[in-house]
Amino acid sequence: MKEQVEVSAPGKLMLLGDHAVVYNRPCIVTAVSARVWVMIEKKPGHVAIEAPQVKNVRFVEEAISVFKRKYRVGDGFIIKTKSDFSCRYGLGSSSAVAIATLLSLSRFFKQAMSLREIFNLGYQTTLNIQGIGSGFDIAAAVYGKTIYFLTGGKVIEPLGVSHLPLVVGYSGVKADTATMVKNLRLNTPHGKLTAIFDSIQEIVERAKTELLKGNWEKTGELMNENHRLLSELGVSTNRLDKMCQAAREAGAYGAKLSGAGGGDCMIALVPEVGREKIERAIERVGGVVIKVSPNAEGVRIES
Ligand code: MEV
């Protein structure tokens, strides 16, 4: 058992494929520079958690349970968490904290785990809590960078994208992912859901090719189309639509909501020279620009 370990894991942004990825279709996700930090320290006879972001405590607790069940380790530690970003943004603080907790436990108890094992236990953790989800956020926290991902981690393919000029805007509303996913299924006829998800799948496949070529114009168009389909499903909001429209009118290659919709964030793919103008346009319609960069490193030991 080690005395103390500190680990961090990145948040995420869904680039394309939101919702469809829950239903056996691919998505593209990028890890972001804002990270969640977990520190684990020896404390004989205890399992204590100090997590100021209340929402995340359940993810820490469940990650600990899943780890203990698998590796049959005992108590004797305190876990403290902190985050570079608010859990209100929908940037994946829950998945990041679960993954950072798992790696910290594996180092603390000297139980070697591969990245795939960390992904599997992390995905189990979120399913135990939410009952639903594709696991794309878990993959971003584990592997980092920009990833082509298929439901449940059936495919996790790093795309080797080196540069991704994104602007991120928060809509000011916190959305609940599990509720959004469940409501979409309840309220949408099966045929419509399947047809739209098939179209989104096609968009993701085409965007993968264009992203690899660095063709931002084409990728932006595909993002616009993806947003239109998500609006058709009813998961966008007036504010998100306005923010995306403002970004496009100010010169973005494309813009879309990112994640479950109902609030949280939108993203815009932007020409470097026009970035500031696009940020101001998003703010003018009530968005809050969040300064994060994409393509960040996955979970790592800090000390
Ligand atoms: C939520 O950020 C993204 C969804 O596709 C849910 C998921 O993939 O788990 C809506």
Side-chain angles (χ1 to χ4, degrees), residues 12 14 17-22 90 132-137 177 181 258-260:
K12 55 76 194 166
M14 176 85 87
D18 326 57
H19 284 287
V21 66
V22 180
I132 198 159
S134 65
F136 84 103
D137 44 358
T177 297
V181 171
S258 174

Side-chain angles (χ1 to χ4, degrees), residues 11-13 15 28-32 140 145-147 164 166 294-296:
K12 55 76 194 166
L13 282 166
L15 297 180
I28 299 174
V29 56
T30 192
V32 296
K145 305 291 173 189
T146 300
I147 299 170
L164 197 58
L166 278 189
N295 245 344

Side-chain angles (χ1 to χ4, degrees), residues 170-204:
Y170 175 54
S171 67
V173 177
K174 172 79 203 117
D176 181 63
T177 297
T179 308
M180 290 297 296
V181 171
K182 285 173 193 160
N183 285 348
L184 182 63
R185 184 161 55 196
L186 283 177
N187 301 332
T188 321
H190 180 72
K192 178 175 177 183
L193 217 49
T194 304
I196 291 188
F197 287 164
D198 286 348
S199 302
I200 292 179
Q201 172 165 14
E202 232 181 275
I203 287 173
V204 170

Side-chain angles (χ1 to χ4, degrees), residues 117-261:
E117 282 166 327
I118 297 175
F119 171 84
N120 289 344
L121 289 199
Y123 188 37
Q124 193 56 57
T125 300
T126 50
L127 285 183
N128 289 353
I129 293 173
Q130 294 179 173
I132 198 159
S134 65
F136 84 103
D137 44 358
I138 291 287
V142 174
Y143 296 92
K145 305 291 173 189
T146 300
I147 299 170
Y148 172 88
F149 176 88
L150 183 60
T151 322
K154 280 175 237 156
V155 178
I156 300 177
E157 182 187 336
L159 289 184
V161 172
S162 56
H163 179 58
L164 197 58
L166 278 189
V167 164
V168 183
Y170 175 54
S171 67
V173 177
K174 172 79 203 117
D176 181 63
T177 297
T179 308
M180 290 297 296
V181 171
K182 285 173 193 160
N183 285 348
L184 182 63
R185 184 161 55 196
L186 283 177
N187 301 332
T188 321
H190 180 72
K192 178 175 177 183
L193 217 49
T194 304
I196 291 188
F197 287 164
D198 286 348
S199 302
I200 292 179
Q201 172 165 14
E202 232 181 275
I203 287 173
V204 170
E205 299 298 356
R206 283 166 59 201
K208 181 185 177 196
T209 309
E210 299 305 335
L211 261 177
L212 288 172
K213 286 195 264 182
N215 187 343
W216 307 134
E217 283 90 353
K218 199 76 212 156
T219 308
E221 278 171 31
L222 292 164
M223 287 168 68
N224 289 340
E225 184 56 13
N226 193 162
H227 182 81
R228 194 188 60 72
L229 291 167
L230 289 167
S231 296
E232 219 175 287
L233 286 176
V235 296
S236 189
T237 64
N238 199 17
R239 172 72 59 86
L240 284 168
D241 288 345
K242 277 192 177 151
M243 289 163 71
C244 291
Q245 193 52 31
R248 288 179 202 121
E249 282 168 11
Y253 296 121
K256 64 180 277 294
L257 69 84
S258 174

Side-chain angles (χ1 to χ4, degrees), residues 242-243 246-247 250 276-287:
K242 277 192 177 151
M243 289 163 71
E276 292 220 338
K277 187 175 167 207
I278 293 161
E279 290 179 350
R280 296 299 83 77
I282 290 171
E283 285 168 352
R284 265 197 302 279
V285 293

